[in-house]
Every structure is written in C-alpha cells, then in structure tokens.
Amino acid sequence: MTDSQNELSPEHQVEAARKAFEQEFERFARFTLVDLEAAVAEERALAELRTRHLGKKSALAATKKLIGRVAPDQRAAFGQLVQATEAALVQSLDQAEQSLKDYIQNERTARESIDVTLPGRRPRFGHRHPITLLREQLEDVFVALGYAIEDDREIETDFYNFSALNIPENHPARGWQDTFYTTDGFALRSQTSTVQIHAMQRRGVPVRMIAPGRVFRRDTPDPTHNPMFFQVEGLCVDRGITMAHLKGTVAEFLRRMFGPDTVTRFRPSYFPFTEPSAEFDFSCFKCKGSGCRICKNSGWIELGGSGMVHPNVLRIVGVDPQQYSGFAFGFGIDRMTALMYELDDIRLLFENDVRFLEKFE
Ligand SMILES: [Zn+2]
C-alpha cells in the first residue's frame, strides 16, 4: 500500500487527503441534531475527525514534506494547493463545530431555564402534636414553680424500672406494670419514675424535677389504653418535705392548668414507691362539678397518683430518709389531652391522621 501511495504525485496525494476527509465529514454536514446528548457525542467525534485529518500525523500534513518532489516551477502552486486544501478543511470543521456548539448551548439554556411566571409552591408547615402542646404547657407551669425538666433513656435495666422503685421480683405491681423486654433482658420503661432514680444518682438531693416522656405497658389497645403512652412524673426531695407540700403543689398546678376555681381532692391509694400514697382528682373543668359527660356525671376527674417517696427508694440512691423526705406524683399526658379535647378514643392521638391532627393548630 505504501508503495502504491508513494507512486501518486504530490498533487494527487493532497487530493486524496481531501477526498478522505470529505467522505468522513459528509455525515456531519447532513447530520440532524435530535437532542443534547447526541450533540455532545457529535462534538467529540468532530474533534477526533479534526485530529485525524489536520493533525501532525495526518495525510495532509505528510504532503507538506513532498515539496522536494515537485518541479521547482510548480512548487509555489503546490504550496498554495496544500494551504487552500487545509483552509477548506478547517472551514468545514469550524462551521460544523459552531453549529454544534450553538445547538448545545440552546439546549442547555432551555433545560436550565425556570418559568418565572409560574406561581411558587408554598411549603406546607406542620405543627406540634396535641400531646406536645399540652406537655409544653404543663412544663411551663412546673418551670415557673422552680422545677427542672429531666429526660432520660426509654430502655431500662430491671433495676431502674422495678427494683430501685421498691418493686422487687415477684411483687404484684410487676403484673399491672408489665412491659416489653428485649432478648437481653432490658425493659422498655413502664413509668418515667426511672428518670427520678437517674436524676437523684446524678444530681443528689435536694431535687425538684419533672420527667415527661414515653412509657410502655403490655396493654391491649382500646379506647382508654395504648401500649405506648406519655406520662409526666414529678419529684421533690428536700429536708422537711411533707404531704402538705405535695397537696399544695398538685393543687397549684391544676389551678394554673384549669383555672383558679379548680378544686383538688386526694384519695388514699397504694403504690410500691410511695408511702403513704394517694390518687388525686380535680373538679371537672367543663361542668364545674355539676356533672357532665366528661366527668361521667361525678363532677370529678381522676387524674393521677402521688405520695411520699418510700424510704427504700431514697436509700437505694444513697439518700438518708432520716434527713430527707420527698413527694412524687404522676399522670398521663395523653389521657389529659383526651379529656381536654373530649376525645372518646385515646388511640386517635397515635393514628397520625392528618385530618384529625390539623384540628389542634
Ligand atoms: Zn363534668
């Protein structure tokens, strides 16, 4: 092949280089652009074509070295032929390249452009859950009374969930407080009293704190029960704390939540972690005691449990019950939410039905 090529005259070799180029270039001249990706690919192919036909190793570049084989009186004409051929190739390539670049530029602008006349999409703001709203409200009341807000883990050891709260193994209270266990023997806390133990271990006494949070019980869901619910527990330990402080604190809290006329009453009860223990009720905020659907015509609403912290609980966190005493109380936040919003079914609070939740904005 090389021999036969060499047999061509220099002029013919220039002509051959031009023809070879035109053959390959033809499809670029006829090419119809369909999309941006195709155009980018063509731009690349065109750049390769330019290197192949105008680069240092191209056939056309080789013809420049044939000047010695041209008769002296034709050398000027040969030089012009090579230059003109090269210029023609460059022009064809430049034109094709420019139209590709224009096309790519237009496509990119079209893709990236934004229609500023379209109306904006308004972000949909969420709002707090009714339980959160009530929790914040009661936190405000207790903070105003000088209480700290404590939070802690929801998965507990048996010690914190039961033993430290004066509920030894085989104690009947473990039955109604039965919770969920992991395979490693950890328990989902069945009351936020666990936080009181952690707080006293960490901060010592005197202490005044409330612990709002999620708790768990092995209950079958029904209109008044849920296996997961929210509770708040309060604890006050100091020298000389009596039942009078407990009654005063709970009564003041309920007055601030439900109005200055709210009356509180205590009924003797039993809890393993308090002695003596009492349940507390308050006068119905709806009917003011005359009887209605919310208070089941009794005029009273049962809310929670309370009592003086059992000496065993103080001892276990290293507090001397001869020197210190304290009270504790607790009630369900979601139960209170259900009462305040007159919900017949507590489960509505956990079904995440936006139509329901939006009513509490
Ligand atoms: Zn009532």
Side-chain angles (χ1 to χ4, degrees), residues 26-326:
E26 197 189 12
R27 73 178 189 88
F28 288 94
R30 289 186 292 114
F31 183 70
T32 32
L33 295 165
V34 286
D35 60 27
L36 180 61
E37 284 69 29
V40 170
E42 283 308 287
E43 194 185 31
R44 210 176 302 124
L46 194 69
E48 284 165 11
L49 186 71
R50 185 188 290 269
T51 311
R52 242 180 356 262
H53 291 277
L54 288 171
K56 279 181 191 163
K57 291 175 179 171
S58 64
L60 192 63
T63 61
K64 291 177 185 171
K65 293 165 190 163
L66 301 176
I67 199 95
R69 286 176 51 188
V70 177
D73 61 331
Q74 285 170 24
R75 278 180 191 163
F78 178 75
Q80 277 168 15
L81 175 71
V82 174
Q83 272 182 6
T85 306
E86 192 173 30
L89 264 60
V90 169
Q91 199 193 354
S92 299
L93 285 163
D94 283 354
Q95 272 176 8
E97 192 183 82
Q98 192 56 51
S99 58
L100 275 169
K101 278 195 194 311
D102 289 346
Y103 179 86
I104 290 165
Q105 172 83 42
N106 286 339
E107 282 295 295
R108 288 206 170 128
T109 309
R111 276 192 198 186
E112 286 159 16
S113 67
I114 299 163
D115 184 353
V116 291
T117 63
L118 279 174
R121 229 172 285 162
R122 200 179 286 276
R124 205 173 141 189
F125 290 107
H127 60 86
R128 280 164 297 179
H129 191 277
I131 290 176
T132 308
L133 292 170
L134 184 64
R135 194 199 74 215
E136 290 178 349
Q137 209 182 327
L138 58 91
E139 280 177 0
D140 285 347
V141 171
F142 280 107
V143 166
L145 292 175
Y147 280 68
I149 295 162
E150 290 277 347
D151 196 7
D152 220 296
R153 64 214 81 178
E154 290 174 4
I155 296 177
E156 279 294 356
T157 58
D158 186 86
F159 172 78
Y160 285 99
N161 200 56
F162 293 117
S163 306
L165 297 168
N166 203 32
I167 313 173
E169 238 174 291
N170 304 320
H171 192 287
R174 289 204 179 200
W176 57 264
Q177 290 208 10
D178 199 12
T179 178
F180 302 93
Y181 296 89
T182 71
T183 45
D184 299 324
F186 291 102
L188 295 183
R189 66 181 180 192
S190 49
Q191 65 269 310
T192 53
S193 316
T194 55
V195 183
Q196 303 176 355
I197 306 296
H198 285 294
M200 283 193 282
Q201 283 181 332
R202 199 167 50 234
R203 301 153 56 125
V205 288
V207 65
R208 268 194 284 182
M209 53 153 283
I210 60 162
R214 258 186 213 92
V215 298
F216 308 84
R217 300 271 170 94
R218 244 156 80 168
D219 279 335
T220 307
D222 68 28
T224 55
H225 293 88
N226 216 46
M228 186 281 296
F229 55 100
F230 287 79
Q231 209 182 39
V232 60
E233 295 220 358
L235 173 74
C236 171
V237 177
D238 205 338
R239 290 174 197 270
I241 296 293
T242 68
M243 195 93 183
H245 295 112
L246 164 65
K247 293 179 83 171
T249 303
V250 171
E252 180 59 20
F253 162 69
L254 290 168
R255 277 196 294 271
R256 292 196 188 191
M257 288 298 288
F258 295 102
D261 303 334
T262 309
V263 182
T264 311
R265 75 175 183 189
F266 288 77
R267 287 176 288 110
S269 185
Y270 167 79
F271 302 107
F273 28 83
T274 45
E275 181 60 40
S277 303
E279 284 177 66
F280 56 91
D281 311 335
F282 66 104
S283 54
C284 179
F285 58 89
K286 189 85 175 178
C287 65
K288 305 289 173 199
S290 59
C292 71
R293 203 175 71 95
I294 295 176
C295 58
K296 298 185 190 99
N297 288 316
S298 71
W300 294 96
I301 293 172
E302 295 178 11
L303 190 62
S306 65
M308 299 307 290
V309 180
H310 197 289
N312 286 351
V313 176
L314 293 175
R315 263 183 223 112
I316 211 146
V317 291
V319 174
D320 181 0
Q322 299 297 324
Q323 294 191 48
Y324 286 94
S325 56

